[in-house]
Amino acid sequence: VSSTWRRSRSPPPDATVTRMPKNAVVRYNLGRAYFAKGDMEQAGAQFTEAVNLRPDYLAPRLWLGQIELLKGEFAKSLQTANESLAVNPGNLEARLLRALSLRSMGNYDQARAELAALVESNPNSVTARRTSRRQKRFFKSAKACPQATFVA
């Protein structure tokens, strides 16, 4: 147990999981704590457990997709995005994850189309517009230097 958790009034996250092992929210929160500490393996394990406990809980599924994207597991992150969209087809974060996964896999046309649809369906979303602008710059770079490998 870290000294930070010792000084706090709340029990360490691992102790909470021990008391409530079947609670998806507890698993999600522990995953976030591990992610904040930089422990992607433990974070991913906790997010996976949260999804297994409650398949309709999107937050841990989306964090898991982000971890997969960071680890270069683009096919897995695309699958996670698609599973998230099956639960909630209009979810902005899941659609962004899908677009970034497609782009990272080299499917630029599909990624561009996903981003265009995302901005069109969410015209007031600052996140969608910023991501779209960044991706437009990326696509120009990819076109200028097609032999380079780009990752998210």
Side-chain angles (χ1 to χ4, degrees):
V1 178
S2 77
S3 60
T4 304
W5 280 323
R6 273 190 218 120
R7 289 191 300 262
S8 71
R9 294 185 190 272
S10 62
D14 293 322
T16 306
V17 169
T18 303
R19 285 195 335 266
M20 296 184 282
K22 301 280 186 203
N23 187 315
V25 176
V26 169
R27 295 289 185 159
Y28 167 70
N29 288 332
L30 182 56
R32 294 276 313 266
Y34 281 125
F35 188 90
K37 289 171 57 177
D39 189 342
M40 298 302 142
E41 292 302 317
Q42 284 296 323
Q46 294 304 319
F47 293 142
T48 299
E49 186 60 29
V51 168
N52 290 339
L53 290 168
R54 217 173 103 199
D56 64 334
Y57 189 17
L58 282 183
R61 191 180 296 274
L62 293 169
W63 278 85
L64 183 60
Q66 288 294 326
I67 289 172
E68 292 162 348
L69 198 61
L70 289 169
K71 290 169 63 177
E73 298 172 347
F74 307 130
K76 281 186 177 182
S77 66
L78 179 60
Q79 179 181 344
T80 300
N82 289 334
E83 290 168 356
S84 299
L85 289 167
V87 173
N88 182 350
N91 185 279
L92 177 67
E93 291 179 46
R95 291 179 73 188
L96 285 170
L97 178 62
R98 178 174 161 65
L100 292 173
S101 299
L102 286 166
R103 184 202 78 178
S104 298
M105 294 172 70
N107 298 330
Y108 301 132
D109 291 337
Q110 285 182 286
R112 190 179 295 115
E114 182 75 37
L115 285 169
L118 182 63
V119 171
E120 184 178 315
S121 64
N122 298 281
N124 296 324
S125 169
V126 173
T127 302
R129 286 188 313 224
R130 278 189 193 146
T131 302
S132 180
R133 280 195 303 267
R134 275 188 250 137
Q135 297 312 307
K136 282 180 185 174
R137 287 192 299 269
F138 167 82
F139 291 129
K140 284 180 186 175
S141 298
K143 191 180 273 188
C145 188
Q147 72 275 11
T149 302
F150 294 97
V151 295

